[in-house]
Amino acid sequence: MTEKTPNSEEPKKRKPRRRRPARKPAEDKAAAKAPTTETTQTESRPQIRSPKSKTAAKKPPSSKLAAAKSAPRKRRASPTAGNGRTVSGKLTVTSRGFGFVEMPEARDIFVPFENLFTALDGDSVVAEILREPADKNPVGRIVEVTNRANAEIVGIFKRKDGYAVVMPEDERINKALTIPRGDEKPTRGTAGPEDGQIVVAELVRWDDPAETPIGRVLEVLGRPSDPGIDARVVARAHNLTMEFPKDVENALGKLKSGLTREEIARREDLRTAVCVTIDPDEAEDFDDAVSLEQLPNGFFELGVHIADVSHYVEEGMPIDLEAAKRGTSVYFVRDVIPMLPERLSNDLCSLRANEDRPAFSVIMSIDSRGEVREYRIAETVIRSTRRFTYRQVEDIIDGAADPLARTIHHMMMLSTILRRRREQTGSVDFDSTEPVISLDENGIPYEVRPSERLDANRLIEEFMLIANRTVARHIIARNHDISGRARSVFKRKQKSGSPVFPFVYRVHEKPEDTDVRAFLTLLERLGISYPVDGDLTPDDYRKLLDIIENLPFKDFVEKVALRTMTKAVYSTENIGHFGLAFDAYTHFTSPIRRYPDLVVHRLLKKYAAAGRPKAPAKLTASLAEICETCSAREKSAVAAEREYTKLKSMEFLADKIGQVYDGVIAGVTSFGIFVELTHYLIEGLVHVSELSDDRYEYDKENYQLQGQKTGKVYRLGDPVRVAIRRVSIEEKKADFSLARDSA
């Protein structure tokens, strides 16, 4: 799951069985996808080149030469015309080949492919500003790489013309690494790579984009046909570690299960309360339970009980340090790269039915309008009464008999009240679908279907959202030195200046004006006029989604609307959450799979026990580093999950060449149209050369291709029928052609 949508800030993550945004340049948005996804075809990026015959005549570099070349020196580009102003920042490179230098307080710098110098995704760079168009991203070029984010590159090992080379799997790296003699033997392990094997190589030296990068082999992952290799390749390509280090395994062996009498006595005992977990069928790590009781005054007392990971994971110890490094769990269809080892996530911390477990609970008294009137946050001990699946709860909601049916129906009633209150205050409730992929025992996909969002899912989402919001507002209240009831406290805004109680918030800024204008223009082209005075608010988004609810291109427009929004991140500064229309928000409810939640638990405990911290400024600086790291790790995790999903999607299409499917035009470019298959939610390109009945020109303003003779138009959002023409699993791309009845 991902930061999928503002309404799914706290939806339950997929929990497989343990077998287990870069900003778009204004000038390119319409050409890409108005706004675009990062899917494109081979012609839109340079091809990987291995050394050719001219260079093959030279002697391959020796390992001594490579070592000499690895001596530190500045990586600077030769000067060209520009205004001379330079900026420093982190580079993000898209799959289309161009990049952006991220500017925290200004527009990101757009860097065309030819201006990337030797910089790679994630590198710290110095960029020169070449021009600054009005209302668009400044355009620049990289002049220096000051720090490599990740020198490890995953690729195919090959021998060619006397050279050993590694062909990078990452399509954003368009040059092969030359491996000098003596550097072919892996530094990790003993067996040398064979031709065609997948390896991890280190980029040793690359100072001139006109020259070949020099590398050395670190590790052999295996052959492309090896079972499970695809997940390992994707993980390593995104700098994700699947195995836990030995010091973590050693620390796990020292953990004791169960709770002592003293520990139980210290906590609020809720073991007699009716608590239930509601999770996917295949879940094994149960990180949240909920309870509900109707009070004599008509209010609901909702309990959200979260696995108390901080009880077992001590700050600064090996397990904690590794969790901080990972930042989040990563989910690959059926497998998971967990943030915490299985003994913690699936055993000690998991809120399994009929077992005493330490929990951290938010217990809220909520009135009939969905307003939190009173609350308390407490360390508790609970005993889950029942383990439900989403489908079981959905059946009860639909009328199935069950001993806990009354409780489930009350929960559904309260979740509906909470959702309607959010909608009234402008919270955006996207309901976009995602592809759900089923794999056989060999990891081969046999089914792809759209995800289904049940009322049972919504129930849990609403309970997690209100708990996270209540915790964030609790800290805001403490920073105002207010101890009154939630009703009056929660209407106050945070004062400027250093907070007394530093905290980790989940924040979401409003969209960029250029993105909003592009979105509204797209809607106009689709026949939807929505005048806006001033800024587009969350309530405007909600109204627009209501307008398109029953239109054939609903899913497509929802995805485009989502792309206009900025990415939610972690921050020590509370600026609210635009998408949810919340004045304050945090992540409290998933400490098994998200490190910021674990940090939030620790802060709440510290403040409850010791009051104000002695050095709030120092603590704020430390938390700011955690926020930055976890935001970056989340971004990497989402990218890895998407890449793996795309890989499996291509495997699914590979044996369907020639078959015809319904689709919708999801993107229009000068070189063709991107079509998303309606049922499978898989995207491919109909190249302009396939439109052979006319000469089509790209109309950037109207997001369409138009035939010069026939006047035929292919417009963004149009339904079409396409045939699968070609699938490249290696490139993770598919080519379609229009079916006869769509041509």
Side-chain angles (χ1 to χ4, degrees):
M1 228 191 72
T2 67
E3 185 100 322
K4 308 286 189 270
T5 63
N7 74 290
S8 62
E9 260 291 356
E10 190 44 49
K12 308 276 286 184
K13 191 77 173 182
R14 301 186 310 276
K15 297 180 181 178
R17 261 183 220 288
R18 291 184 50 90
R19 287 180 293 184
R20 337 210 230 242
R23 192 136 1 273
K24 300 166 281 293
E27 63 231 53
D28 193 69
K29 282 176 184 170
K33 294 192 182 177
T36 184
T37 60
E38 290 186 358
T39 306
T40 186
Q41 296 308 107
T42 308
E43 75 162 6
S44 64
R45 56 177 287 268
Q47 297 299 298
I48 294 176
R49 297 184 297 274
S50 58
K52 302 297 181 184
S53 56
K54 288 183 180 180
T55 56
K58 300 178 183 179
K59 290 184 178 181
S62 66
S63 58
K64 290 183 179 180
L65 176 60
K69 284 190 174 184
S70 66
R73 70 171 185 261
K74 293 285 185 180
R75 306 180 183 94
R76 292 197 64 88
S78 57
T80 62
N83 64 17
R85 185 165 71 90
T86 60
V87 295
S88 298
K90 181 181 177 181
L91 176 70
T92 299
V93 181
T94 74
S95 62
R96 299 190 67 212
F98 55 78
F100 294 87
V101 179
E102 298 174 3
M103 296 284 101
E105 304 298 330
R107 288 181 183 272
D108 293 345
I109 311 302
F110 170 56
V111 184
F113 168 78
E114 61 272 16
N115 290 350
L116 286 175
F117 187 44
T118 63
L120 304 177
D121 183 63
D123 288 350
S124 297
V125 300
V126 176
E128 180 186 13
I129 307 300
L130 299 178
R131 61 182 186 276
E132 300 183 71
D135 296 326
K136 295 182 180 180
N137 296 72
V139 180
R141 69 184 187 102
I142 306 302
V143 297
E144 183 178 351
V145 178
T146 56
N147 184 60
R148 289 281 186 207
N150 181 25
E152 295 188 3
I153 295 173
V154 178
I156 302 292
F157 182 85
K158 288 187 176 294
R159 297 186 185 277
K160 185 177 178 66
D161 298 329
Y163 281 89
V165 298
V166 173
M167 313 291 287
E169 288 279 302
D170 190 339
E171 60 184 12
R172 296 171 297 182
I173 305 174
N174 75 307
K175 284 197 173 185
L177 275 67
T178 296
I179 309 299
R181 289 182 182 141
D183 284 339
E184 301 171 10
K185 184 177 180 181
T187 60
R188 305 166 189 165
T190 55
E194 299 175 4
D195 196 67
Q197 284 190 314
I198 301 175
V199 302
V200 180
E202 179 186 11
L203 176 60
V204 175
R205 174 63 60 192
W206 191 27
D207 295 316
D208 186 344
E211 298 293 330
T212 301
I214 303 298
R216 61 169 161 255
V217 175
L218 299 178
E219 182 181 354
V220 177
L221 296 181
R223 292 199 171 276
S225 58
D226 291 347
I229 190 68
D230 46 11
R232 290 176 59 82
V233 168
V234 172
R236 293 305 301 271
H238 291 272
N239 197 26
L240 303 173
T241 305
M242 302 189 80
E243 297 80 16
F244 285 93
K246 289 184 178 180
D247 60 346
V248 171
E249 298 294 344
N250 293 336
L252 283 173
K254 299 177 183 178
L255 294 178
K256 296 181 180 180
S257 60
L259 295 171
T260 64
R261 291 180 180 178
E262 292 76 16
E263 182 63 26
I264 292 174
R266 190 183 68 82
R267 294 171 173 267
E268 183 175 345
D269 194 340
L270 299 179
R271 286 178 292 179
T272 58
V274 178
C275 297
V276 299
T277 61
I278 307 175
D279 293 273
D281 292 357
E282 67 275 12
E284 294 183 8
D285 54 332
F286 309 117
D287 53 8
D288 58 76
V290 292
S291 61
L292 189 68
E293 181 182 353
Q294 191 161 22
L295 303 176
N297 61 2
F299 291 178
F300 285 107
E301 184 176 84
L302 170 65
V304 176
H305 315 283
I306 307 302
D308 192 354
V309 176
S310 62
H311 173 71
Y312 293 102
V313 180
E314 186 177 347
E315 186 174 4
M317 298 305 286
I319 298 174
D320 177 59
L321 295 176
E322 181 66 18
K325 179 182 175 182
R326 295 179 178 227
T328 183
S329 295
V330 186
Y331 296 83
F332 289 154
V333 181
R334 191 175 60 188
D335 298 313
V336 61
I337 303 176
M339 185 184 81
L340 295 174
E342 186 172 347
R343 184 166 183 240
L344 282 167
S345 61
N346 289 13
D347 182 9
L348 297 181
C349 296
S350 185
L351 304 180
R352 299 191 297 202
N354 301 314
E355 296 185 23
D356 293 351
R357 286 291 185 265
F360 209 1
S361 303
V362 182
I363 302 166
M364 299 155 282
S365 178
I366 304 175
D367 65 20
S368 59
R369 296 180 301 168
E371 186 171 354
V372 177
R373 302 296 293 270
E374 294 180 345
Y375 69 92
R376 68 184 188 276
I377 302 171
E379 295 180 66
T380 60
V381 55
I382 70 167
R383 188 177 181 86
S384 174
T385 308
R386 181 91 167 268
R387 182 266 203 261
F388 280 111
T389 66
Y390 284 127
R391 177 50 63 185
Q392 288 171 336
V393 170
E394 191 74 12
D395 290 342
I396 295 172
I397 292 171
D398 291 339
D402 190 277
L404 294 179
R406 181 180 177 84
T407 298
I408 295 298
H409 284 296
H410 280 165
M411 286 183 175
M412 190 63 220
M413 182 191 306
L414 177 59
S415 71
T416 302
I417 291 171
L418 293 173
R419 185 171 71 253
R420 287 177 179 170
R421 181 173 178 82
R422 279 199 304 111
E423 291 171 350
Q424 290 168 0
T425 57
S427 185
V428 186
D429 191 12
F430 285 108
D431 198 13
S432 57
T433 54
E434 299 283 340
V436 177
I437 302 175
S438 299
L439 307 179
D440 64 19
E441 59 184 9
N442 297 315
I444 305 300
Y446 64 86
E447 180 187 38
V448 178
R449 66 185 188 280
S451 59
E452 184 181 12
R453 191 172 173 213
L454 304 174
D455 284 336
N457 296 89
R458 295 176 185 272
L459 184 158
I460 288 297
E461 287 174 15
E462 293 301 331
F463 288 178
M464 300 303 114
L465 286 169
I466 194 65
N468 286 332
R469 189 184 192 190
T470 298
V471 169
R473 285 178 153 188
H474 169 73
I475 294 297
I476 298 298
R478 294 206 65 178
N479 274 323
H480 282 275
D481 293 323
I482 297 174
S483 58
R485 291 175 179 246
R487 183 177 182 181
S488 60
V489 169
F490 290 174
K491 293 183 179 179
R492 297 175 179 262
K493 294 184 177 179
Q494 185 172 349
K495 296 178 181 177
S496 59
S498 180
V500 176
F501 296 96
F503 204 58
V504 172
Y505 298 97
R506 183 69 168 178
V507 300
H508 186 221
E509 294 187 83
K510 68 177 185 179
E512 292 284 343
D513 291 340
T514 51
D515 291 335
V516 170
R517 285 198 295 271
F519 176 52
L520 293 176
T521 301
L522 168 63
L523 291 178
E524 269 190 50
R525 301 293 185 251
L526 295 175
I528 301 171
S529 179
Y530 188 84
V532 175
D533 294 327
D535 294 337
L536 199 68
T537 66
D539 193 49
D540 289 320
Y541 274 95
R542 184 185 61 79
K543 291 176 181 177
L544 282 167
L545 295 180
D546 288 342
I547 292 172
I548 66 169
E549 177 63 31
N550 296 314
L551 297 179
F553 46 74
K554 168 184 175 289
D555 289 343
F556 163 70
V557 173
E558 282 191 349
K559 290 178 181 178
V560 174
L562 183 57
R563 292 180 199 132
T564 68
M565 291 191 173
T566 58
K567 179 75 174 65
V569 296
Y570 298 103
S571 175
T572 56
E573 180 184 359
N574 175 41
I575 61 171
H577 196 293
F578 175 85
L580 292 172
F582 284 175
D583 54 358
Y585 192 66
T586 190
H587 274 174
F588 167 84
T589 52
S590 295
I592 285 179
R593 64 178 174 89
R594 292 188 307 225
Y595 192 72
D597 302 53
L598 176 56
V599 173
V600 163
H601 282 212
R602 288 175 177 153
L603 291 172
L604 290 170
K605 289 183 179 182
K606 287 179 182 178
Y607 296 159
R612 298 184 179 187
K614 295 181 180 179
K618 183 178 179 181
L619 178 57
T620 299
S622 175
L623 293 176
E625 290 184 10
I626 291 173
C627 289
E628 183 177 359
T629 299
C630 289
S631 295
R633 298 309 292 166
E634 178 188 28
K635 184 177 178 181
S636 295
V638 170
E641 290 172 353
R642 287 176 178 169
E643 181 177 340
Y644 190 77
T645 298
K646 189 183 296 185
L647 173 66
K648 290 301 177 183
S649 297
M650 292 303 108
E651 289 182 6
F652 176 76
L653 287 186
D655 64 352
K656 294 172 175 55
I657 304 299
Q659 295 189 29
V660 177
Y661 299 97
D662 291 327
V664 62
I665 297 178
V668 182
T669 74
S670 59
F671 54 84
I673 57 176
F674 288 92
V675 176
E676 181 180 86
L677 303 182
T678 304
H679 180 71
Y680 296 132
L681 306 180
I682 301 174
E683 197 173 88
L685 173 72
V686 178
H687 195 274
V688 69
S689 62
E690 292 290 319
L691 308 176
S692 56
D693 63 329
D694 202 344
R695 182 177 181 274
Y696 287 85
E697 289 195 0
Y698 175 50
D699 182 352
K700 181 177 180 179
E701 296 300 320
N702 292 297
Y703 309 104
Q704 65 185 27
L705 289 178
Q706 184 168 7
Q708 297 305 292
K709 296 178 181 179
T710 63
K712 186 181 295 184
V713 170
Y714 294 103
R715 184 183 295 108
L716 204 63
D718 284 351
V720 292
R721 284 176 61 77
V722 294
I724 312 299
R725 190 175 67 83
R726 186 184 73 91
V727 175
S728 172
I729 297 174
E730 293 74 19
E731 294 179 302
K732 306 178 190 72
K733 293 167 184 171
D735 288 319
F736 300 160
S737 60
L738 289 178
R740 290 184 179 180
D741 51 355
S742 282

